[in-house]
């Protein structure tokens, strides 16, 4: 079955950086798009970024453009999210998701907390 395991979250000051990773198993990783989504306290699920199966097409939500970078390693079945210039508004549980968008299977998530 689909297994997605996120890591790399933590507590960081505003302006800092974090790199999230998601290890994938149970499906043909190099044939599917992948996404990162997040859920802030009291809010709904938000799509952060998506990447196509080859890693050549990426899309970002407006609030993270220029600050976050999604990438993937199809040899290692890993998708990453490099986050820079973090803001308190980025505080959320971050999930990697199967497919392009926020509707696919997700992992257990990793908490990102940005202090002011």
């Amino acid at each position: 079955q689909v297994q997605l395991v996120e890591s790399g979250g933590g507590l960081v000051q505003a302006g800092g950086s974090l790199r999230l990773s998601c290890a994938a198993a149970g499906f043909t990783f190099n044939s599917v798009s992948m996404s990162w989504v997040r859920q802030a306290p009291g809010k709904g699920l938000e799509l952060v970024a998506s990447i196509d199966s080859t890693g050549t097409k990426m899309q970002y939500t407006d609030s993270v453009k220029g600050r976050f970078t999604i990438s993937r390693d199809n040899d290692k079945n890993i998708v990453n999210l490099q986050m820079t210039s973090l803001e308190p508004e980025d505080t959320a549980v971050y999930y990697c998701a199967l497919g392009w968008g926020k509707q696919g299977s997700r992992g257990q998530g990793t908490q990102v907390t940005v202090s002011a």
Side-chain angles (χ1 to χ4, degrees):
Q1 68 276 22
V2 171
Q3 295 182 11
L4 300 167
V5 180
E6 301 93 339
S7 61
L11 173 64
V12 63
Q13 290 186 332
S17 299
L18 282 173
R19 182 178 178 87
L20 307 183
S21 293
C22 172
F27 59 99
T28 306
F29 183 77
N30 62 10
S31 68
V32 300
S33 300
M34 295 294 296
S35 299
W36 282 96
V37 301
R38 65 185 180 186
Q39 188 163 25
K43 296 188 177 181
L45 203 61
E46 178 187 27
L47 176 63
V48 176
S50 297
I51 188 168
D52 72 348
S53 61
T54 63
T56 56
K57 177 183 176 183
M58 289 77 80
Q59 190 172 49
Y60 301 90
T61 193
D62 286 346
S63 63
V64 308
K65 285 180 181 177
R67 300 189 298 122
F68 290 10
T69 303
I70 189 171
S71 63
R72 67 189 295 158
D73 185 335
N74 283 350
D75 291 331
K76 298 180 179 178
N77 287 10
I78 291 174
V79 58
N80 298 306
L81 186 69
Q82 179 68 48
M83 306 186 295
T84 63
S85 301
L86 283 161
E87 303 168 353
E89 293 74 21
D90 296 316
T91 294
V93 178
Y94 284 71
Y95 304 87
C96 67
L98 183 63
W100 189 280
K102 62 181 181 179
Q103 69 277 7
S105 298
R106 302 189 298 272
Q108 83 290 345
T110 187
Q111 175 71 47
V112 172
T113 303
V114 184
S115 62

